[in-house]
Amino acid sequence: MADVVDPATRSRMMSGIRGKNTKPELLIRKALHARGFRYRLHCDLPGKPDICLPKHRAVIFVHGCFWHGHDCHLFKWPGTRPEFWRAKIERNRTVDAAAERALAEAGWRVAVVWECALKGRERRPLDEVSGELELWIRSDLRTLAIES
């Protein structure tokens, strides 16, 4: 299927997509703060985690399902320039895995909250997601993935 806008407009639209302070990230930050957690943002660690909890030696990534290639109802391969998008998303997945390995080797615990847990037809209540995060932060579990 052909794109509905011209290449210059599509480029402008795509360049406006933020990598920090996204809506899902802000929801998680607000919910954690309400539960009494204090954290740092985008700390200087492998993969630049969205939320760092140094006291608990834990980091949280809030991943967009499209940009990180999550296999869920929100992800769909683009019809235009498929080779470019496959390479880009596979590269993102590789970088994510390398960052998680490096963090684990450095003694950090890693949680990933997927966008589909907070958005779309299969979303979960924010209180449920933040409760699961709180339990994980207070536990000694190494990893956690929250998805729809």
Side-chain angles (χ1 to χ4, degrees):
M1 180 173 139
D3 202 346
V4 295
V5 297
D6 63 279
T9 303
R10 176 64 60 201
S11 179
R12 183 178 44 76
M13 289 165 61
M14 295 301 280
S15 70
I17 297 173
R18 298 173 303 196
K20 292 182 180 177
N21 303 319
T22 61
K23 281 185 183 179
E25 184 183 330
L26 293 173
L27 284 172
I28 294 297
R29 285 170 20 192
K30 184 176 180 181
L32 287 175
H33 193 273
R35 288 179 176 267
F37 290 102
R38 301 302 176 254
Y39 45 79
R40 295 180 183 268
L41 301 178
H42 314 292
C43 30
D44 195 19
L45 291 170
K48 287 279 202 185
D50 299 309
I51 301 169
C52 305
L53 298 131
K55 175 181 173 182
H56 301 279
R57 210 68 184 147
V59 298
I60 301 170
F61 289 98
V62 183
H63 283 337
C65 294
F66 175 76
W67 297 105
H68 296 270
H70 188 227
D71 185 25
C72 70
H73 69 282
L74 294 180
F75 178 74
K76 181 179 176 254
W77 287 104
T80 57
R81 298 178 51 202
E83 310 81 31
F84 167 81
W85 286 110
R86 286 206 187 272
K88 178 163 187 57
I89 291 170
E90 284 305 319
R91 188 172 56 248
N92 289 349
R93 288 175 172 170
T94 303
V95 168
D96 292 343
E100 289 180 30
R101 266 193 314 278
L103 286 164
E105 289 169 4
W108 288 88
R109 299 179 311 125
V110 179
V112 176
V113 178
W114 289 95
E115 176 186 23
C116 60
L118 304 168
K119 177 181 172 184
R121 67 176 183 262
E122 297 176 20
R123 71 179 170 267
R124 296 167 52 187
L126 180 59
D127 194 48
E128 180 183 312
V129 173
S130 63
E132 196 171 333
L133 276 171
E134 179 177 9
L135 288 174
W136 173 78
I137 291 166
R138 296 188 190 285
S139 76
D140 59 353
L141 293 173
R142 302 300 305 160
T143 61
L144 174 70
I146 299 177
E147 53 196 348
S148 61

